[in-house]
Amino acid sequence: DAGVTQSPTHLIKTRGQQVTLRCSPKSGHDTVSWYQQALGQGPQFIFQYYEEEERQRGNFPDRFSGHQFPNYSSELNVNALLLGDSALYLCASRTATNEKLFFGSGTQLSVL
Amino acid sequence: DQQVKQNSPSLSVQEGRISILNCDYTNSMFDYFLWYKKYPAEGPTFLISISSIKDKNEDGRFTVFLNKSAKHLSLHIVPSQPGDSAVYFCAASLYSGGGADGLTFGKGTHLIIQP
């Protein structure tokens, strides 16, 4: 039973570029959330998707957008990258009725 | 404005002794709390949770205590084992009834278990 899988594991981009990160939830899970973890900080909630719609959003600008597909997988898109967007991006999934979040290993994004 | 605070960046405990990790929160609307453990190069792993209607929840070597009046929770690990060495995150949420909403995390405490 595969857990939450994310791709790619590492990514280097240049300021101003756009990036897409991908996530496949754990089998049986239908709700996907994205978190940003900067160095030395705890994960910060970006947004949550359920039934292909954004259900809740944290305090992030609209340069951060996402999508959920019919198979429950999800993408995180970041436009006009800033140096401060360098972080570990974590995807997490759960079922709609269970609070227990399962996290992937993350995508380490470096913006130069 | 940090709503969940873990004031100890690191904690060193001898193997076999009790590890106590602390967490404070400021938002009185939080009603669901979780602890996650994180090893390097891995995502956080769920450890234990507690609803605000309880003051204690136990799972094997792990016990979480919640003091709502003080807005404080703690994680007790007893006995501590070498594999417990990791970063521990406290997280809080508004329980929506259909599963927890976006979690607010603390900055983490690096627990080091010494032989």
Side-chain angles (χ1 to χ4, degrees):
Chain A
D1 176 24
V4 179
T5 58
Q6 292 186 243
S7 63
T9 54
H10 295 82
L11 202 51
I12 299 175
K13 289 286 188 179
T14 303
R15 190 173 48 182
Q17 286 188 313
Q18 178 262 345
V19 68
T20 297
L21 311 181
R22 295 177 175 82
C23 172
S24 292
K26 183 176 169 61
S27 177
H29 287 188
D30 54 12
T31 303
V32 175
S33 303
W34 287 90
Y35 287 79
Q36 180 196 66
Q37 186 178 11
L39 197 62
Q41 305 293 316
Q44 271 198 292
F45 175 67
I46 303 175
F47 41 54
Q48 176 176 280
Y49 277 83
Y50 173 66
E51 291 186 332
E52 302 179 49
E53 288 188 16
E54 183 182 298
R55 299 292 177 167
Q56 192 187 12
R57 189 179 184 94
N59 189 25
F60 278 79
D62 56 12
R63 296 187 297 110
F64 289 77
S65 63
H67 190 76
Q68 185 180 34
F69 299 94
N71 67 352
Y72 309 120
S73 67
S74 177
E75 287 181 352
L76 164 66
N77 300 292
V78 187
N79 293 324
L81 283 167
L82 304 174
L83 297 179
D85 295 331
S86 295
L88 179 68
Y89 288 85
L90 294 162
C91 175
S93 72
R94 60 175 176 89
T95 63
T97 55
N98 191 320
E99 69 286 346
K100 188 174 172 182
L101 269 181
F102 289 78
F103 281 86
S105 296
T107 294
Q108 185 65 53
L109 173 65
S110 298
V111 181
L112 305 179
Chain B
D1 176 30
Q2 215 180 341
Q3 297 188 69
V4 176
K5 297 177 184 179
Q6 294 177 257
N7 291 319
S8 299
S10 66
L11 176 68
S12 184
V13 174
Q14 204 162 15
E15 182 179 355
R17 300 286 185 109
I18 183 171
S19 295
I20 300 176
L21 294 94
N22 293 304
C23 177
D24 298 294
Y25 62 96
T26 58
N27 187 344
S28 58
M29 298 298 291
F30 287 141
D31 57 7
Y32 194 74
F33 304 90
L34 308 91
W35 283 94
Y36 280 83
K37 171 180 177 180
K38 188 178 185 302
Y39 293 118
E42 294 183 12
T45 303
F46 172 80
L47 267 179
I48 192 169
S49 61
I50 187 166
S51 164
S52 60
I53 62 172
K54 296 184 176 181
D55 55 18
K56 177 182 174 181
N57 189 27
E58 197 169 350
D59 183 1
R61 297 187 298 114
F62 302 92
T63 303
V64 57
F65 295 92
L66 175 62
N67 182 333
K68 281 190 68 178
S69 60
K71 296 192 183 70
H72 177 84
L73 62 155
S74 61
L75 173 68
H76 292 211
I77 306 172
V78 57
S80 300
Q81 299 174 355
D84 296 330
S85 295
V87 177
Y88 289 77
F89 290 100
C90 170
S93 174
L94 303 171
Y95 185 69
S96 66
D101 293 331
L103 300 178
T104 301
F105 281 83
K107 289 187 177 183
T109 296
H110 186 193
L111 176 64
I112 301 162
I113 306 300
Q114 294 186 335

